[in-house]
Amino acid sequence: MKKILLQLDCDPLASVFDAVTAYDAGADVVLQYGNVTTENVVDLVYGVMFTRGGDKLKYSAIFIGGSNVSRASEILDVVKKTFFGNVRNSVMFDPSGCNTTAAAAVAKMTKACDVKGQKVVVLAGTGPVGQRAAAMFAMEGAKVVVTSRKFEKAQAAAEEIKATFGLEVQPFAAFDDESTTEALKGAVAALCTGAPGVTLIREPLWKANPSLKVLGDVNAVPPMGVEGMKSSYNGEVIEGKVMLGSMGIGGLKMRVHRTCIERLFERNDALFDAQSILEIAKELS
Amino acid sequence: MKKILLQLDCDPLASVFDAVTAYDAGADVVLQYGNVTTENVVDLVYGVMFTRGGDKLKYSAIFIGGSNVSRASEILDVVKKTFFGNVRNSVMFDPSGCNTTAAAAVAKMTKACDVKGQKVVVLAGTGPVGQRAAAMFAMEGAKVVVTSRKFEKAQAAAEEIKATFGLEVQPFAAFDDESTTEALKGAVAALCTGAPGVTLIREPLWKANPSLKVLGDVNAVPPMGVEGMKSSYNGEVIEGKVMLGSMGIGGLKMRVHRTCIERLFERNDALFDAQSILEIAKELS
Amino acid sequence: MKKILLQLDCDPLASVFDAVTAYDAGADVVLQYGNVTTENVVDLVYGVMFTRGGDKLKYSAIFIGGSNVSRASEILDVVKKTFFGNVRNSVMFDPSGCNTTAAAAVAKMTKACDVKGQKVVVLAGTGPVGQRAAAMFAMEGAKVVVTSRKFEKAQAAAEEIKATFGLEVQPFAAFDDESTTEALKGAVAALCTGAPGVTLIREPLWKANPSLKVLGDVNAVPPMGVEGMKSSYNGEVIEGKVMLGSMGIGGLKMRVHRTCIERLFERNDALFDAQSILEIAKELS
């Protein structure tokens, strides 16, 4: 029986990236749907719920992607409510690659340095990847600080993390060398999740920080969020700090993505969202 | 050579249900098209007519689905006119599952009870499934009564059945216990094809009817069209009547759907519409 | 690893013809995208550039089709600019089948008659197939004349050919027997690429022309562009002239199309456009 993945995407054109990755992970067929809304998604989901019964339900699974994470979250809510009893399919939630990217970064960084009970800073952590990375560090027992140039934005992100994951993180305004130095004070790990091409930590700052053990950066476009970072860094130690660039993180991200897709088809009730994707990333890292 | 099914759907997003079912029936590739219109369908059909010549034409086939049966009918008309000579592909017509659902119900009911020359009632038979079930009972030689709460609606349905299938059925207004009792008087079979959750025959009525031998109900959402019916009934005999609920009918419907898809690829000039789908349902029931 | 073809089409519904042909040429998966624009195409292309690294990039390729050749050309330009270094995928450009049709006609005609240094006329050569055929004849060293009923249109086509391919062709107004006779004077080959059902060369004209050795016609709908031509002619000699009708040309066109698709997956940096498609047509003819 063919493994069919239903790709739900709120963008007008469903992601090519997600489709190719699904095929590479062993899906036999990807049914691509763009323009998915909370209204039209129900019939799409019925189409996988009601075509293959009993223990064959697991051969149909759902991937929720797209560039807009909050709309994708609404889709996920509707999908969950559409299922009933054992009439359900496994689901992976990864719009904008937010979960797989965050999980790969957090898994690599926590492997390089035990964060339990320690301070971890997610710089410019207000977007989808940043929020999820912050939540995942908190799941690992870290005391997480989320920064933004404006305190209000950091606070809003902290509230969203609280609402989505039930986890506490501390908002902090880091807008210049002084405030960034303050943000990083005593931290063992710092991850930059800002916009491409924006430097968040100048080189002298992280080199002068004695507590920092690992630095990560998901930015692929120079200049890097961590000045002195290279995309290709994958655990190199610079001035005593383990360095993880976007390609170093990206390799694991791809393996995490593919592994999640593979495992979707092992049962009919899996949900791969932040926590479970982090578990897989830790297992693979 | 891959078996390619061209899925034509007038809805904005082509049905997942129909695509999954097609793959399960052995199609290698389903080309899904939503937003199909009588204007844009011609080029789509050319795409299967002119790519594989001669005896390989049969490896491309067409499925016409979608939620709007009348628009789908217009598509079917254009598809038929686009073909010429032996340059044609096999076609299955099943928007809203109307043909496969009706055929499964009629095949099961006529197997349980010979309807030739007998009175059969299709209650709330004005929609796509009801009209097609009524026509199929008439094809089997029954004297068919189609009811609606309003006589005008029943009459309009009878006229549409006449126009589409060239078959006569009798319209009847059944809106309360008395008129429903009158409608069922002398009937050997009654099928409910009404809206989900609307009771059409109260329990005392069918139990008190001496001629009724089989009762069918395509409604999956309680309360049932036939009070006392269970979705799971698949030939159980209650008070001397054979009972067929939506799941009992649905199992055959799925097999009919898959079998039609399989057979599309055996020749290049098959047309699976009401009559031929009923034949397959009878063969499989 | 599955061979994935990304089908980019500016029309609202991506071509069925191109998808079926791609599957028949050995593509394992065709990701069909309609409504492609110069804006949304970049993310689509990233989806094949960044999913399979290194020597596996060749398992993803791009087909640019659709009915509008000039919009497709803009898409091609953006696709080329999106690639960088060796991070690229092979591309085939064939909107409206313009390259494969022109290449098949030119390959068959130049095989029937050496055109190097000779006069060749493309009648009604202002559309996509005509312009490309004219350019291809010029690539083969012919002195090419492109006709239209109005000189301005022929001139505009000549300028477009110059701009696109850097090749010189001569515009000429052929609107009646006299001007058509003049256009064909001394020519060894004439190809009609006009609208379906429009006669461009009346029978007495080509029969009376002593220099003409081969006549081609891509028109499939009678009356033919070359009066007396049959669609099925595939090299028949009539009054000393080799005759090539639309089906004769079409058979090679299909083989060229499929061969290009096959070869897309042999490397990650092929570009199949006019010149390279002509080379393949000559190889296969």
Side-chain angles (χ1 to χ4, degrees):
Chain A
M1 180 162 266
K2 289 191 179 76
K3 286 181 265 182
I4 297 182
L5 186 69
L6 175 59
Q7 181 187 0
L8 302 176
D9 200 310
C10 296
D11 297 335
L13 302 183
S15 162
V16 170
F17 187 100
D18 291 335
V20 173
T21 305
Y23 280 112
D24 285 347
D28 294 305
V29 172
V30 180
L31 300 178
Q32 298 193 274
Y33 285 85
N35 284 323
V36 173
T37 66
T38 49
E39 282 76 42
N40 64 25
V41 72
V42 174
D43 272 346
L44 302 178
V45 174
Y46 283 159
V48 287
M49 287 169 65
F50 295 130
T51 34
R52 295 158 151 194
D55 58 357
K56 286 173 183 160
L57 269 165
K58 70 179 178 184
Y59 293 108
S60 302
I62 296 174
F63 178 89
I64 302 174
S67 62
N68 186 319
V69 177
S70 67
R71 285 171 64 195
S73 293
E74 292 169 24
I75 297 292
L76 176 60
D77 288 341
V78 176
V79 169
K80 285 177 180 172
K81 281 178 196 146
T82 304
F83 295 150
F84 59 87
N86 192 39
V87 184
R88 59 182 61 245
N89 302 84
S90 290
V91 177
M92 176 175 178
F93 182 80
D94 200 32
S96 266
C98 63
N99 273 325
T100 48
T101 303
V106 172
K108 279 193 163 273
M109 292 175 72
T110 55
K111 197 179 180 191
C113 159
D114 187 1
V115 301
K116 192 159 191 179
Q118 302 294 325
K119 179 176 176 183
V120 170
V121 185
V122 181
L123 292 107
T126 55
V129 173
Q131 285 193 22
R132 278 165 194 269
M136 289 173 186
F137 277 123
M139 290 169 193
E140 294 299 293
K143 297 172 191 160
V144 181
V145 173
V146 168
T147 80
S148 177
R149 273 169 293 189
K150 296 194 176 174
F151 182 76
E152 295 71 33
K153 281 197 69 181
Q155 195 168 33
E159 282 163 11
E160 220 173 312
I161 290 166
K162 173 75 178 169
T164 308
F165 301 102
L167 293 164
E168 302 282 353
V169 304
Q170 190 193 329
F172 194 90
F175 48 89
D176 60 7
D177 279 2
E178 195 181 350
S179 54
T180 302
T181 299
E182 179 65 19
L184 296 173
K185 195 174 180 181
V188 295
L191 174 64
C192 288
T193 58
V198 177
T199 301
L200 297 170
I201 315 178
R202 291 203 312 108
E203 196 155 350
L205 271 55
W206 60 265
K207 287 191 171 167
N209 181 309
S211 60
L212 274 175
K213 292 179 180 162
V214 57
L215 285 153
D217 194 338
V218 299
N219 177 13
V221 180
M224 296 294 149
V226 178
E227 193 182 31
M229 178 66 77
K230 290 183 183 170
S231 288
S232 60
Y233 279 163
N234 191 17
E236 282 80 349
V237 179
I238 310 287
E239 307 253 340
K241 281 94 169 89
V242 176
M243 305 294 278
L244 293 161
S246 63
M247 283 168 59
I249 293 166
L252 177 58
K253 177 224 179 300
M254 287 302 290
R255 287 196 295 133
V256 170
H257 190 148
R258 285 196 294 262
T259 302
C260 289
I261 297 287
E262 274 170 43
R263 295 192 186 171
L264 283 174
F265 297 104
E266 292 175 0
R267 47 194 292 182
N268 77 316
D269 59 356
L271 172 61
F272 293 120
D273 199 348
Q275 184 133 25
S276 43
I277 293 177
L278 175 60
E279 290 308 317
I280 289 174
K282 285 164 65 182
E283 177 192 328
L284 298 178
S285 70
Chain B
M1 181 162 267
K2 289 191 179 75
K3 286 181 266 181
I4 297 183
L5 186 70
L6 174 58
Q7 181 187 1
L8 302 176
D9 200 310
C10 296
D11 298 334
L13 303 183
S15 162
V16 170
F17 187 100
D18 291 335
V20 174
T21 305
Y23 280 112
D24 285 346
D28 294 306
V29 172
V30 180
L31 300 177
Q32 298 193 274
Y33 285 85
N35 283 323
V36 173
T37 66
T38 49
E39 282 76 41
N40 64 25
V41 72
V42 174
D43 272 346
L44 302 178
V45 174
Y46 283 159
V48 288
M49 287 169 64
F50 295 130
T51 33
R52 295 158 152 194
D55 58 358
K56 286 174 184 160
L57 268 165
K58 70 178 179 184
Y59 293 108
S60 301
I62 296 174
F63 178 89
I64 302 174
S67 62
N68 187 319
V69 177
S70 67
R71 285 171 65 195
S73 292
E74 292 169 24
I75 297 292
L76 176 61
D77 288 342
V78 176
V79 169
K80 285 177 181 172
K81 281 178 197 146
T82 304
F83 295 149
F84 59 87
N86 192 38
V87 184
R88 59 182 62 246
N89 302 84
S90 289
V91 177
M92 176 176 177
F93 182 79
D94 200 32
S96 266
C98 63
N99 273 326
T100 48
T101 304
V106 172
K108 279 193 163 272
M109 292 175 72
T110 55
K111 197 179 180 192
C113 160
D114 187 1
V115 301
K116 192 159 192 180
Q118 303 293 325
K119 179 177 176 183
V120 170
V121 185
V122 181
L123 291 107
T126 54
V129 173
Q131 285 192 22
R132 278 165 194 268
M136 289 174 187
F137 277 123
M139 290 169 193
E140 294 299 293
K143 297 172 191 160
V144 181
V145 173
V146 169
T147 81
S148 177
R149 272 170 293 190
K150 295 193 177 175
F151 183 77
E152 295 71 32
K153 282 197 68 181
Q155 195 168 33
E159 281 163 11
E160 220 173 312
I161 290 166
K162 174 75 179 169
T164 308
F165 301 101
L167 292 164
E168 302 282 352
V169 304
Q170 189 193 329
F172 194 90
F175 49 89
D176 60 7
D177 279 2
E178 195 181 351
S179 54
T180 302
T181 300
E182 179 65 20
L184 296 173
K185 196 174 179 181
V188 295
L191 174 64
C192 288
T193 58
V198 177
T199 301
L200 297 170
I201 315 178
R202 290 203 313 108
E203 196 155 350
L205 271 56
W206 60 265
K207 287 191 172 168
N209 181 309
S211 59
L212 275 175
K213 291 178 182 163
V214 58
L215 284 154
D217 194 338
V218 299
N219 177 12
V221 180
M224 297 294 148
V226 178
E227 192 182 31
M229 178 66 77
K230 289 183 184 170
S231 287
S232 60
Y233 279 162
N234 191 16
E236 282 80 350
V237 179
I238 310 286
E239 306 253 341
K241 281 95 168 88
V242 176
M243 305 294 279
L244 293 161
S246 62
M247 283 167 59
I249 293 166
L252 177 58
K253 177 224 179 301
M254 287 302 291
R255 287 196 294 134
V256 170
H257 190 149
R258 285 196 293 262
T259 302
C260 289
I261 297 287
E262 275 170 42
R263 296 193 185 170
L264 283 174
F265 297 104
E266 292 175 359
R267 48 194 292 182
N268 77 316
D269 59 356
L271 173 60
F272 293 120
D273 199 347
Q275 184 132 26
S276 43
I277 292 177
L278 175 59
E279 291 307 317
I280 289 173
K282 285 164 64 183
E283 178 191 329
L284 298 179
S285 70
Chain C
M1 182 162 266
K2 289 191 179 76
K3 287 181 264 181
I4 296 183
L5 186 70
L6 175 58
Q7 181 187 1
L8 302 176
D9 200 310
C10 296
D11 297 334
L13 303 183
S15 163
V16 170
F17 187 100
D18 291 335
V20 173
T21 305
Y23 280 111
D24 285 347
D28 295 305
V29 172
V30 180
L31 300 178
Q32 298 193 274
Y33 285 84
N35 283 322
V36 173
T37 66
T38 49
E39 282 76 42
N40 64 25
V41 72
V42 174
D43 272 346
L44 302 178
V45 174
Y46 283 159
V48 288
M49 287 169 65
F50 295 130
T51 33
R52 296 158 150 194
D55 59 357
K56 286 173 183 160
L57 268 165
K58 70 178 178 185
Y59 293 108
S60 302
I62 296 174
F63 178 89
I64 301 174
S67 61
N68 187 318
V69 177
S70 67
R71 284 172 64 196
S73 293
E74 292 169 25
I75 297 292
L76 176 60
D77 288 342
V78 176
V79 169
K80 284 177 180 172
K81 281 178 197 146
T82 304
F83 296 149
F84 58 87
N86 192 38
V87 184
R88 59 182 61 246
N89 302 84
S90 289
V91 177
M92 176 175 178
F93 182 79
D94 200 32
S96 266
C98 63
N99 273 326
T100 48
T101 304
V106 172
K108 279 193 163 272
M109 292 175 72
T110 55
K111 197 179 180 192
C113 159
D114 187 2
V115 300
K116 192 160 191 178
Q118 303 294 323
K119 178 176 175 183
V120 170
V121 185
V122 181
L123 292 107
T126 55
V129 173
Q131 285 193 22
R132 279 165 193 267
M136 290 174 187
F137 277 123
M139 290 169 193
E140 295 299 293
K143 298 172 190 158
V144 182
V145 174
V146 168
T147 81
S148 177
R149 272 169 293 190
K150 296 194 176 174
F151 182 77
E152 295 72 33
K153 281 197 68 181
Q155 195 168 32
E159 282 163 11
E160 220 173 311
I161 290 166
K162 174 75 178 167
T164 308
F165 301 101
L167 293 163
E168 303 282 352
V169 304
Q170 189 193 330
F172 194 90
F175 49 89
D176 60 7
D177 279 2
E178 195 180 350
S179 54
T180 302
T181 300
E182 179 66 19
L184 295 173
K185 195 174 180 181
V188 295
L191 174 64
C192 289
T193 58
V198 177
T199 301
L200 297 170
I201 315 177
R202 290 204 313 107
E203 196 155 350
L205 271 57
W206 60 264
K207 287 191 172 168
N209 181 310
S211 59
L212 274 175
K213 291 179 182 163
V214 57
L215 284 153
D217 194 339
V218 299
N219 177 12
V221 180
M224 296 293 148
V226 179
E227 193 182 31
M229 177 67 77
K230 290 182 183 171
S231 288
S232 59
Y233 279 163
N234 191 16
E236 281 80 349
V237 179
I238 310 287
E239 306 253 341
K241 281 95 168 89
V242 176
M243 306 294 278
L244 293 160
S246 62
M247 283 167 59
I249 293 166
L252 177 58
K253 177 224 180 300
M254 287 302 291
R255 287 196 295 134
V256 170
H257 190 148
R258 285 195 294 261
T259 301
C260 289
I261 297 287
E262 274 170 44
R263 295 192 186 171
L264 283 174
F265 297 104
E266 292 175 0
R267 48 194 293 182
N268 77 316
D269 59 356
L271 172 61
F272 293 120
D273 200 348
Q275 184 132 25
S276 43
I277 293 178
L278 175 60
E279 291 308 317
I280 289 174
K282 285 164 65 183
E283 177 192 329
L284 297 178
S285 70

